[in-house]
Amino acid sequence: EWANVKYQLTPEIALRAGRIALPVFLAAEYRKVGYALPWVRTPVDVYGTLPISSSDGVDATWRWSTGAVRHNTQVLAGRTDRDLANGLKIRAGNIRGISHSIEYGALSGRVTAFGGRLTTGIGRELFDALRMFGPSGNALADRYAIEDKRVRMLSAGASYDPGPWFVTAEYGQTRTSSLLGDGTSMYVGAGLRRGAFTPYAGYAQVRADVPLTDPGIPTTGLPPPLAGAAVQLNAGVNSFLSTIPMQSTWSAGVRWDAAPDIALKLQFERVRPQGGSRGTLINPTPEFRSGRAFGIASVALDFVF
């Protein structure tokens, strides 16, 4: 996520070159540093919607103030080329973005917009087979294939943390024009600090802004062998569409700062995928049913050194 060099051009302006975590959402740049988070993990309903998490390129940050308000304006440009599972790759070019954050006493906030062009090999065999069915198959492949597709993301968030308590909320909107789908996500969370203990609770949701099913290739009039193949391909398309997350999550937990630089966290989440989506699950069991809630219990020991 991070591998860059920084040059402080002036006391207010800094330049970086290398691998830079995209400044989307409040905790995007340190979301994998568990100790820095009050909860076990960042809300997956929101942070899991990121199609790209880092960029290999350059950025510039300008720090400035207006009265008691401190501002931080960041612009970036780059690309990324990563290996995924099963030999697949993800490639994103022409990444451009701007982020503006503020701090005013106990209040902090951030607004970010970025875009890029995304290509992966996900579903390539399925789309090649669809194209063999002529115009209707080509239309499906063009609609869902992740080939040089424009990706856009907008996020906004704010946190108020006076010390004894905190509340935070974020909103995100993703547009991919592909099999990855379009979605809108949000979460709100709050906690109380009582000595070494911080009980907290939150609610998060992600909504799919595209249909999670597609009628696919028309089978009427096709010879039986081709109709059977079309049915299987249509099922493949809908299987991919079911991976577009649509779910809600209630969470509650407690953080215990057991010692300096050591935090023990207990957390329980109640997750309900909806609308035929499998939510943010990666490997659901055969017993999984969309619309049926399930629980997740987590224990984490975070430390820094």
Side-chain angles (χ1 to χ4, degrees):
E1 295 291 301
W2 287 345
N4 56 70
V5 294
K6 177 180 177 181
Y7 177 65
Q8 196 71 37
L9 185 63
T10 71
E12 298 81 19
I13 299 175
L15 307 177
R16 291 189 299 178
R19 179 159 298 170
I20 299 164
L22 294 179
V24 185
F25 301 123
L26 293 174
E29 291 142 304
Y30 57 88
R31 68 188 187 281
K32 295 185 178 181
V33 185
Y35 183 83
L37 307 171
W39 25 73
V40 169
R41 64 186 68 86
T42 51
V44 295
D45 309 63
V46 176
Y47 286 74
T49 62
L50 273 173
I52 310 166
S53 61
S54 65
S55 167
D56 294 340
V58 296
D59 80 342
T61 301
W62 175 33
R63 301 181 186 275
W64 50 288
S65 299
T66 54
V69 182
R70 296 186 299 275
H71 300 263
N72 190 326
T73 303
Q74 180 181 357
V75 293
L76 62 92
R79 62 183 305 278
T80 188
D81 193 348
R82 301 286 190 91
D83 292 330
L84 301 176
N86 303 321
L88 297 175
K89 291 180 176 292
I90 182 170
R91 185 171 66 253
N94 198 32
I95 298 174
R96 301 289 186 272
I98 183 169
S99 176
H100 183 74
S101 60
I102 65 164
E103 292 183 4
Y104 177 68
L107 176 67
S108 61
R110 168 180 277 174
V111 177
T112 300
F114 86 91
R117 304 202 70 86
L118 184 66
T119 298
T120 80
I122 296 173
R124 183 167 293 162
E125 293 181 357
L126 172 65
F127 300 130
D128 289 343
L130 285 171
R131 294 189 187 279
M132 298 174 64
F133 281 80
S136 60
N138 281 323
L140 279 171
D142 291 341
R143 183 184 313 160
Y144 294 122
I146 312 171
E147 297 288 341
D148 195 33
K149 289 294 180 68
R150 182 69 177 171
V151 174
R152 302 181 304 278
M153 185 148 194
L154 173 69
S155 72
S159 177
Y160 188 75
D161 188 347
W165 55 276
F166 67 88
V167 62
T168 181
E170 295 196 77
Y171 168 88
Q173 191 178 83
T174 306
R175 298 292 181 262
T176 70
S177 303
S178 73
L179 198 64
L180 298 177
D182 301 342
T184 300
S185 58
M186 60 76 63
Y187 85 87
V188 59
L192 295 171
R193 295 188 179 92
R194 293 295 181 265
F197 293 91
T198 304
Y200 58 84
Y203 173 78
Q205 71 171 26
V206 56
R207 183 187 73 233
D209 296 331
V210 293
L212 299 185
T213 60
D214 194 299
I217 300 169
T219 57
T220 304
L222 291 177
L226 289 179
V231 168
Q232 290 185 346
L233 291 175
N234 292 341
V237 170
N238 286 308
S239 178
F240 273 116
L241 292 177
S242 72
T243 66
I244 298 174
M246 185 170 181
Q247 70 179 34
S248 60
T249 303
W250 290 95
S251 61
V254 61
R255 169 180 173 142
W256 175 35
D257 287 279
D261 302 331
I262 298 177
L264 178 66
K265 303 173 188 176
L266 307 177
Q267 182 169 305
F268 181 78
E269 296 158 279
R270 190 70 172 170
V271 185
R272 186 183 298 276
Q274 302 165 355
S277 169
R278 71 183 192 188
T280 54
L281 292 175
I282 296 174
N283 187 27
T285 67
E287 293 79 16
F288 169 80
R289 296 292 182 273
S290 186
R292 183 187 300 171
F294 59 88
I296 300 173
S298 304
V299 179
L301 181 66
D302 293 325
F303 59 92
V304 292
F305 57 92

